[in-house]
Amino acid sequence: MKNHQNVNAGRGLHVAALLAAMLLSACGGGGGNPGAVTGGAGGGTTTPGGTGTTVPAAPTVSLAFTNTAGTASNSLSGATPLTVKATLLDASKKPVPNAIVTFATDDKLATFSPSAGTALTDANGVAGVTMRSASLSAGGAGTVTATSSVAGTAVTGGGNYSVGATALSFGMLSASPASLQAYGSTVLSVDLMNGSAKYTDQQVNVTFSSACVTAGKATLATTVAANNGTAQTVYRDKGCANNDTITVSADGVARSATTTLTIAPPAAASVQFVSANPTAQSIVIRGQGGNGRTETATLTFKVVDIFGNPLAGKPVNFSTTSNLVTINKTSDTTDATGNVITTVNSGSAPTSFRVQATLPNTASGSNPDISTQSDLVVVTTGLPVQRAFSISADKFSIDGWNVDSLPASPAGHIQVLLADAFGNPVPDGTPIVFQTNMGSVGSADKGGCTTVNGGCSVDLRAQEPRHPSATNNPPTPCNTGAGASPDATRPGLATICASSTDGTNTVFARTLVFFGGSKVTQATINGSAVSYDTPNDLGAITYNDAKIFPLQLNDVNNNPMPTGTAVAAANATNASVSVTPATVPNIALHNTSTGADDPSGTATGAQGSVHVVSVTGAAPTPCVAKTATFNVTATTPSGSTTSIPFKLSFTCP
């Protein structure tokens, strides 16, 4: 027992001595400096004989969160923003004023106001910003960091917070008025609620939608920003003609709100004729077809309201002005575009008709039901008829008795024009066959042509044969069968036949074309033949008179020279000579007594052109009798020239 007491007493003395030494060290006693080093900001103190170092003093920034009531809270929501305050102290724990503090956090959770996230410390070293939920649906936990600089030393501090999704709801969606006339408008309004109060803390975009808006039959501003907790838009009807349910939704609002508008349907104002197909508004008699023709006409009408907008679901009745056609649909209902269609079939006789479209039960007062008529539609055979078959030649006398045409330069052209029983051009593509007993007609790929807008033409070339071996060779519709005429037998006169057939009925027409010679061989003056070798003596006249005489130019067959042959005076001496006309005109076979064209091909006699030659002289001083000489030349298109010499004596008065 005694030993234990001594040990305890020794331990007590040792502890007492240790405490005394520590007090002396703290007081700097002990007779001198024990080696302690005192630093400034950021310095430290080293204890002699010790093994550790104390942490140096440094600037600090600390964060605190408060709600709108000023109570400490780090719970953020769309309805409860927070104020974040950063307190900036220097190394000596004194406030640092006028320092810039930058706040940062996850922008998917929260945003700052001001949006830059910066603020200046006040005299107490405090800088603050407002923090709001990034969206009503944002949720989770995050950290706000505050960064600044004190005397060149960066300082950072942080604080954690939580974000709870904001549970908002819609109040009642109202429409004023809720019932609209056609094309009327109404104001839609809905409140955003946070519990029993309107939510006004943040701007919320509210979306309005409806079936009629989607279909383009109504308009509204689909996205509207709530103002003081209320979102409004104007709804305008554009022909919805039905009840329309309006739906509102927004991010962060779990349940949408709806209301129903009652919209009166627009009344039909008119029915319009749109089109007829075929576009030529012509169909053929039942069973007669025709190239590219149809027996059915399709007519389209459109029902519109007072604003010209199409109306769907409107009944329309159809009738026709002719009992010779059949309406296949006497009534129908307009489609989504307001259109309605009926078809009409032709009968067994040609006619013309219109279709009337009527809106039943639209009569008002003394006004009858709304109606309109289509354009006139014609029912024709669609086939060419004999009385409307025309044929013509651009030249009735080609340069062809003595020369062949060059392949690329036909001597002439033959044209046909065809029409049906109503005088309408036959359908495009109607085939025409050409035949000739002299030269060649048509083209290498076909002997004829197919019509465009009721007509077509082919080339006529001068070549063999020029002397048909027999009458009516080759056989053509023009020279055989009912209504035909035999080919002309006059030398140098070609018979060209054009025809078209549907396999049962054939229509045709012919024209006659001279193959003119290259030389004038049967020229006459008043029926008397001229000389080509010695000058033809015209007698004598005084200088004061003029010699005027007709010169008829005929080729070897007593036919006209080729159309366009140039006729002129040449080599005139002691006289002035003029020739009229200066070219051979387009001369068809004609009766020489009456001058009338003869399509039968039986006319006889000289067919050549007549040119008036006028010769005058100027008396010399003193007057001396002289003899004038000159030539009349005829140059064909191929360049062959015939020269006829003349002389005339002038006597003094």
Side-chain angles (χ1 to χ4, degrees), residues 187-287:
V187 176
L188 301 172
S189 180
V190 66
D191 291 337
L192 278 166
M193 306 299 293
N194 182 15
S196 60
K198 283 193 341 182
Y199 175 71
T200 60
D201 293 320
Q202 280 184 277
Q203 180 175 291
V204 177
N205 289 331
V206 177
T207 299
F208 292 80
S209 63
S210 83
C212 284
V213 170
T214 301
K217 295 183 177 181
T219 62
L220 52 69
T222 55
T223 301
V224 178
N227 182 19
N228 291 325
T230 300
Q232 287 186 335
T233 188
V234 175
Y235 177 102
R236 286 186 182 11
D237 174 46
K238 291 178 63 180
C240 180
N242 208 336
N243 292 344
D244 194 12
T245 298
I246 314 299
T247 302
V248 290
S249 60
D251 290 341
V253 181
R255 182 174 296 178
S256 59
T258 62
T259 191
T260 300
L261 300 177
T262 302
I263 305 171
S270 68
V271 56
Q272 303 169 348
F273 172 66
V274 176
S275 65
N277 187 28
T279 54
Q281 295 162 211
S282 174
I283 59 177
V284 297
I285 292 174
R286 184 175 64 240

Side-chain angles (χ1 to χ4, degrees), residues 277-360:
N277 187 28
T279 54
Q281 295 162 211
S282 174
I283 59 177
V284 297
I285 292 174
R286 184 175 64 240
Q288 296 211 9
N291 189 355
R293 301 296 290 273
T294 177
E295 299 174 2
T296 303
T298 301
L299 299 107
T300 303
F301 297 85
K302 188 174 189 176
V303 178
V304 298
D305 60 23
I306 58 175
F307 291 96
N309 297 310
L311 295 180
K314 296 297 181 182
V316 180
N317 296 333
F318 302 104
S319 59
T320 181
T321 58
S322 172
N323 58 6
L324 298 178
V325 296
T326 302
I327 293 184
N328 297 316
K329 287 194 305 181
T330 57
S331 64
D332 204 349
T333 303
T334 57
D335 61 16
T337 64
N339 286 341
V340 63
I341 295 173
T342 190
T343 59
V344 179
N345 277 7
S346 62
S348 58
T351 186
S352 60
F353 67 92
R354 297 179 189 269
V355 170
Q356 180 166 299
T358 302
L359 302 178

Side-chain angles (χ1 to χ4, degrees), residues 424-519:
N424 302 127
V426 296
D428 288 353
T430 298
I432 310 298
V433 175
F434 288 83
Q435 295 163 289
T436 181
N437 62 353
M438 291 174 57
S440 70
V441 68
S443 59
D445 61 336
K446 60 183 72 173
C449 58
T450 54
T451 61
V452 175
N453 198 26
C456 64
S457 66
V458 294
D459 295 339
L460 175 64
R461 293 178 179 174
Q463 64 179 72
E464 295 297 342
R466 293 182 174 86
H467 305 274
S469 59
T471 303
N472 301 335
N473 184 31
T476 70
C478 299
N479 58 35
T480 62
S485 299
D487 288 349
T489 58
R490 183 184 180 99
L493 183 61
T495 302
I496 301 165
C497 179
S499 61
S500 181
T501 183
D502 62 359
T504 302
N505 299 310
T506 300
V507 291
F508 57 87
R510 75 176 191 174
T511 189
L512 305 174
V513 176
F514 292 109
F515 276 39
S518 298
K519 293 289 186 179

